[in-house]
Amino acid sequence: MKSTPTLALWLCLTATLWVAAGTASAPLPARTTQDLNLPAASIHQMMKNVAWNELQASEHPVHYYWYLEKDISSDGSRTNVQIATHHGYVDRLIAVDGKSPNKVQIEKNEQVLQNLLTSAQLRESRYKDQRSDTLRRDNVIKDVPNAFVFTYDGRSKEGLVKLKFRPAPNFKPSSRQSLILRGMAGEVWVDPSSQRMAKIDGTLIKDVKIGWGFLARLNKGGRFLMEQTRGPDGIWQQELLSVHFDGSILIFKGLHIHETIIRSFFKQVPKNLTVREAVHMLQADKSLPKDWQSRLDAIEKSARFD
């Protein structure tokens, strides 16, 4: 089965921001972490803060951005310039499997952009699809604090608080999307000052049945890695998401989700930018950062699982 970004984002917990998101506008009060031997109650409150802040960042972005995104799957790779707006994102294809797109691929992408300029119905349809993805992801984030038992495991040299997590025995998912949380364990790194998630590395420690318009089983051993970074403007951005899951759909058909999504070179765009204006920006300015390929390749290399 071909991997899809939508399913991959949901499957890997996606405790990440919508790519346009910024820091939460009104976070819960953060507990001090000077005493790093945190008791269970403090850790649970920290993770409640983290989940709340991630949701606020998704729903109330401080800024929107121009950025590069490389999507690598078993079918190859595609790299796009994307622009996020308050009404969804648009993209322009700049590379396929590390090479310039051919004439047919360019024409197809340009036609999509042109259709977005002329069709309000298409713009609204795309936005609804993107919004549905966000809401499914948010359902998972809401359950994160109660889905796991978190234990303190030290602090990184950058000052991030490291927590180990394992499934909470009495966790009851509030949505179908959260079913996957019952089988996950791993490590999470939290920035104590902003109460944001900097990194999460998780593994399925048992088979998990999920629902996504079909009945599917994900096999034990599936793994994901997500990293966020804080840009020069202080806003947290998802930089890396790598997913490796295998399983089956309705027992009869294999399910293979091997995908890595890389984002970099974030530049602010006007907050009131419309989709049509974003399309015009993509069409008018086709310049790229000088070292964009080497930068994306370096991030990709860091995402490879042992």
Side-chain angles (χ1 to χ4, degrees):
M1 177 181 176
K2 185 181 184 299
S3 167
T4 64
T6 298
L7 182 55
L9 287 171
W10 172 59
L11 289 174
C12 70
L13 170 65
T14 46
T16 64
L17 49 159
W18 188 243
V19 72
T23 55
S25 56
L28 295 175
R31 288 186 63 97
T32 178
T33 55
Q34 294 300 315
D35 177 8
L36 295 182
N37 189 16
L38 297 174
S42 296
I43 292 174
H44 182 69
Q45 182 61 53
M46 176 186 289
M47 292 312 298
K48 287 178 64 177
N49 292 353
V50 168
W52 191 89
N53 287 338
E54 298 294 344
L55 290 169
Q56 289 298 303
S58 172
E59 296 298 324
H60 306 289
V62 175
H63 301 295
Y64 293 93
Y65 292 87
W66 177 106
Y67 55 94
L68 300 186
E69 178 178 286
K70 184 176 183 179
D71 189 334
I72 307 117
S73 71
S74 56
D75 295 325
S77 69
R78 295 175 68 88
T79 306
N80 293 281
V81 175
Q82 293 194 350
I83 298 178
T85 77
H86 71 286
H87 209 66
Y89 66 86
V90 294
D91 46 42
R92 176 172 62 83
L93 184 66
I94 60 172
V96 177
D97 296 330
K99 300 178 181 179
S100 298
N102 60 39
K103 183 179 179 180
V104 173
Q105 292 165 333
I106 292 173
E107 290 178 348
K108 183 177 180 180
N109 183 229
E110 289 180 346
Q111 186 60 57
V112 171
L113 292 176
Q114 190 60 37
N115 290 343
L116 285 171
L117 285 176
T118 59
S119 174
Q121 182 177 359
L122 177 60
R123 294 194 296 272
E124 186 63 28
S125 175
R126 280 170 58 97
Y127 175 67
K128 286 182 178 180
D129 289 343
Q130 293 169 9
R131 183 63 182 163
S132 293
D133 293 342
T134 304
L135 293 176
R136 281 190 286 265
R137 188 229 32 224
D138 287 352
N139 286 339
V140 178
I141 295 175
K142 291 173 184 176
D143 275 351
V144 166
N146 296 320
F148 303 115
V149 175
F150 296 93
T151 55
Y152 173 74
D153 194 42
R155 176 177 277 205
S156 72
K157 62 181 181 181
E158 297 83 11
L160 301 174
V161 173
K162 180 183 177 183
L163 305 173
K164 288 183 178 294
F165 64 88
R166 66 182 188 277
N170 298 320
F171 169 59
K172 295 182 179 179
S174 63
S175 67
R176 290 185 302 164
Q177 291 80 31
S178 295
L179 290 171
I180 193 173
L181 302 182
R182 296 186 301 183
M184 288 186 172
E187 300 170 331
V188 58
W189 288 257
V190 174
D191 175 60
S193 61
S194 65
Q195 303 279 282
R196 292 296 296 272
M197 187 179 299
K199 179 179 178 180
I200 183 166
D201 189 344
T203 300
L204 284 178
I205 59 174
K206 62 180 180 180
D207 293 354
V208 175
K209 291 182 179 179
I210 60 173
W212 184 266
F214 50 75
L215 179 62
R217 186 189 75 241
L218 298 179
N219 297 337
K220 176 182 177 180
R223 188 178 171 192
F224 71 89
L225 173 67
M226 185 280 294
E227 295 183 4
Q228 296 190 144
T229 184
R230 185 151 46 184
D233 59 1
I235 306 300
W236 286 91
Q237 303 290 350
Q238 178 189 300
E239 182 177 68
L240 168 67
L241 176 65
S242 192
V243 184
H244 289 248
F245 287 107
D246 294 288
S248 62
I249 302 174
L250 298 175
I251 303 176
F252 306 108
K253 187 174 181 180
L255 173 64
H256 306 286
I257 304 172
H258 296 176
E259 185 163 19
T260 297
I261 299 173
I262 298 165
R263 294 173 177 146
S264 192
F265 298 100
F266 292 89
K267 298 189 298 184
Q268 288 185 26
V269 296
K271 191 170 183 178
N272 60 352
L273 191 72
T274 67
V275 169
R276 295 182 78 249
E277 289 170 338
V279 170
H280 283 306
M281 287 178 63
L282 290 176
Q283 293 175 329
D285 183 3
K286 298 188 177 182
S287 61
L288 296 170
K290 185 177 180 180
D291 60 342
W292 68 271
Q293 288 179 309
S294 59
R295 171 60 179 160
L296 295 179
D297 289 344
I299 300 173
E300 179 184 353
K301 184 178 293 186
S302 72
R304 293 174 182 168
F305 296 132
D306 297 331

